[in-house]
Amino acid sequence: MSSSGYTCIRTVFCCVNVLFWLTGCALLGIGVWLRVSYEGYATLLPQYALLSADIVAIIIGALTIVLSFFACCGSWLQSRCLLITYFILVVLMFIAEFVLGSLAFVYRDTIKHTFTEKLQDGLSHHYNMSQSPNNLLQVWDDVQITFKCCGVVNYMDWHMIDAWPEHRWVPDTCCLPADYGIGCGRKGSDILYKSGCYELIYKWFKERLMVVGLVGLIVAFVQLFGLISSMLLFCTVKHRRRSRTYKSYQ
């Protein structure tokens, strides 16, 4: 590889990963802020606390920082050890993404059914009317107001839950805007949203699959670029260290 080509790849590779390092720092900061500011704020799936927004942001941010560190230091210091470590980590990540994506596609119906059951279980047993930070009151209220829905499948999911075991009540946020008021969820089903939240959220997500796919393609392209660039740098550093012209690539 010529000196200009090696320098170009090395510079672009380093700059791209600096941007990813900054992105990782931002995600990590957001995750920590959410954890500190909204400690105990429940997710829609209390059984899977690790899926909460703060934990996911912290994990993705930390992983991005580690990968970018290996990439930048390996490129700048021309360290074959760091470059091959980065290459192996990206390969493992690529394989994990492929396996998880394939399993999610194959078992999509099972996942949908399980997800619905877990949402209903969380609604039934973890929703309460107290103001403690570990309840789902605010989360479900926000979801139902945003998507104009009631319950997971329909409004009957709220009947006789642990928060009101002897009543067929629903939260007031299930009421139609024209009939909304304090205690409206205890008056009857005629003034309630009939659609469940799960199907509306699923429809909202499907309408944005193009954006999700585009993000996935960008991530895949960056990973492929990282794999090729890190291996080129790894091989070139090894070759230049054995040649008399190695110093010209510093």
Side-chain angles (χ1 to χ4, degrees):
M1 184 186 296
S2 65
S3 175
S4 59
Y6 174 82
T7 304
C8 179
I9 292 178
R10 181 185 172 193
T11 303
V12 173
F13 181 70
C14 190
C15 290
V16 168
N17 280 281
V18 166
L19 292 177
F20 269 88
W21 184 84
L22 294 173
T23 302
C25 289
L27 284 173
L28 184 61
I30 292 172
V32 172
W33 174 73
L34 288 173
R35 190 67 177 173
V36 172
S37 300
Y38 298 95
E39 183 179 3
Y41 192 79
T43 65
L44 290 173
L45 295 171
Q47 307 93 323
Y48 302 101
L50 291 178
L51 294 179
S52 61
D54 52 354
I55 298 298
V56 172
I58 290 173
I59 292 174
I60 295 177
L63 184 60
T64 303
I65 290 173
V66 171
L67 285 174
S68 300
F69 171 80
F70 283 119
C72 291
C73 291
S75 173
W76 187 258
L77 300 176
Q78 302 184 83
S79 169
R80 298 177 66 236
C81 178
L82 293 177
L83 287 171
I84 198 63
T85 301
Y86 170 82
F87 180 85
I88 293 172
L89 289 175
V90 174
V91 167
L92 292 176
M93 181 184 297
F94 192 84
I95 293 173
E97 291 170 355
F98 178 78
V99 171
L100 290 175
S102 300
L103 290 175
F105 178 78
V106 172
Y107 296 103
R108 58 188 181 279
D109 292 333
T110 303
I111 293 174
K112 180 179 179 180
H113 178 70
T114 302
F115 191 66
T116 302
E117 286 186 341
K118 295 300 181 182
L119 281 173
Q120 290 174 322
D121 182 70
L123 179 152
S124 178
H125 301 297
H126 297 274
Y127 184 93
N128 62 72
M129 299 302 293
S130 71
Q131 296 301 315
S132 66
N134 294 315
N135 68 73
L136 290 174
L137 189 153
Q138 188 61 50
V139 179
W140 270 108
D141 283 352
D142 291 343
V143 170
Q144 292 182 152
I145 290 173
T146 302
F147 290 94
K148 295 179 172 56
C149 57
C150 186
V152 179
V153 177
N154 54 51
Y155 67 89
M156 288 188 289
D157 292 328
W158 290 106
H159 290 176
M160 293 183 287
I161 64 173
D162 289 355
W164 43 75
E166 299 179 358
H167 302 282
R168 294 179 179 273
W169 293 343
V170 300
D172 293 341
T173 50
C174 281
C175 299
L176 296 170
D179 300 291
Y180 180 81
I182 298 177
C184 65
R186 305 180 183 185
K187 294 181 179 179
S189 61
D190 294 336
I191 61 174
L192 307 177
Y193 292 116
K194 298 301 187 292
S195 301
C197 294
Y198 179 83
E199 288 298 333
L200 293 179
I201 294 174
Y202 183 70
K203 180 181 178 182
W204 177 87
F205 180 76
K206 284 182 65 176
E207 291 173 349
R208 288 155 179 79
L209 278 180
M210 183 175 293
V211 176
V212 176
L214 181 61
V215 172
L217 287 175
I218 293 174
V219 172
F221 174 79
V222 172
Q223 289 178 330
L224 183 61
F225 171 78
L227 288 174
I228 296 173
S229 300
S230 60
M231 187 50 61
L232 283 174
L233 293 173
F234 175 83
C235 296
T236 305
V237 168
K238 178 181 178 181
H239 172 72
R240 293 303 174 184
R241 283 182 175 177
R242 295 178 179 177
S243 67
R244 296 180 180 178
T245 59
Y246 173 71
K247 291 184 178 180
S248 65
Y249 292 87
Q250 301 296 324

